């Protein structure tokens, strides 16, 4: 959904491990680098050592990360260990971290920790404001959609 909201012919370069995102960007004529690897059926992103290595050689202004869970004490989490490693690498290589979390992901925890809340700059969510006020104390900029 985030990729669909980028403007047609967005002038930035997008680097993604998601073939689904890359397809949307191709239709919008946005310059895209697709990082390969083993595609996780549930997350729809490439994972594994080759993916992490390729992302480690990139630098980005923003890392836009989906989530399996976001808990104020545990942080951002993923269901799969390899997916967590990919997201950790993306965050490490970016100036700012943006997390996309639907209301069903807010205040939940998955198996594998990705980041502390203090490492998140912006949270974009469909959750109700009263369900996200705790993140204001983490100095996360919360945007409701």
């Amino acid at each position: 959904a985030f990729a669909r909201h980028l403007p047609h012919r967005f002038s930035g370069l997008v680097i993604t491990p998601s073939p689904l995102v890359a397809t949307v960007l191709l239709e919008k004529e946005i310059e895209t680098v697709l990082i390969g690897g083993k595609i996780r059926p549930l997350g729809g992103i490439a994972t594994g050592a080759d993916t992490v290595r390729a992302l480690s050689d990139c630098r980005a202004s923003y890392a836009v990360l989906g989530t399996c869970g976001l808990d104020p004490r545990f942080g951002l989490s993923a269901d799969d260990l390899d997916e967590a490693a990919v997201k950790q690498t993306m965050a490490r290589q970016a100036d700012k971290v943006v997390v996309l979390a639907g209301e069903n992901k807010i205040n939940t925890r998955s198996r594998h920790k990705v980041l502390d809340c203090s490492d998140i700059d912006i949270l974009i969510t469909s959750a109700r404001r009263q369900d996200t006020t705790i993140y204001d104390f983490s100095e996360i900029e919360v945007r409701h959609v």
Side-chain angles (χ1 to χ4, degrees):
F2 184 85
R4 284 188 197 95
H5 284 90
L6 289 174
H8 188 81
R9 293 189 178 158
F10 170 73
S11 64
L13 170 67
V14 177
I15 302 168
T16 182
S18 169
L20 301 172
V21 169
T23 301
V24 170
L25 299 174
L26 178 66
E27 291 172 3
K28 292 180 149 286
E29 300 181 58
I30 296 173
E31 186 178 2
T32 304
V33 174
L34 177 60
I35 301 292
K38 180 181 176 185
I39 305 295
R40 275 198 73 241
L42 289 177
I45 70 167
T47 61
D50 291 338
T51 306
V52 169
R53 200 170 13 263
L55 288 166
S56 295
D57 291 337
C58 300
R59 187 74 194 144
S61 298
Y62 294 92
V64 180
L65 307 176
T67 183
C68 298
L70 182 63
D71 177 81
R73 288 166 295 289
F74 191 68
L76 177 68
S77 57
D79 292 333
D80 180 80
L81 186 59
D82 289 335
E83 184 176 336
V86 167
K87 290 178 179 183
Q88 287 166 346
T89 303
M90 290 173 69
R92 227 181 0 258
Q93 297 303 108
D95 297 330
K96 291 190 180 269
V97 175
V98 178
V99 171
L100 309 174
E103 63 183 326
N104 61 327
K105 306 297 183 176
I106 295 292
N107 302 321
T108 64
R109 188 185 294 192
S110 290
R111 290 186 187 121
H112 306 284
K113 184 172 189 163
V114 176
L115 299 170
D116 289 323
C117 285
S118 61
D119 295 323
I120 299 169
D121 298 291
I122 301 169
L123 168 61
I124 300 175
T125 183
S126 58
R128 299 174 305 171
R129 291 189 192 281
Q130 60 262 35
D131 294 332
T132 62
T133 55
I134 189 78
Y135 299 102
D136 294 333
F137 297 109
S138 301
E139 298 183 12
I140 298 172
E141 179 184 337
V142 180
R143 297 186 186 178
H144 294 270
V145 293

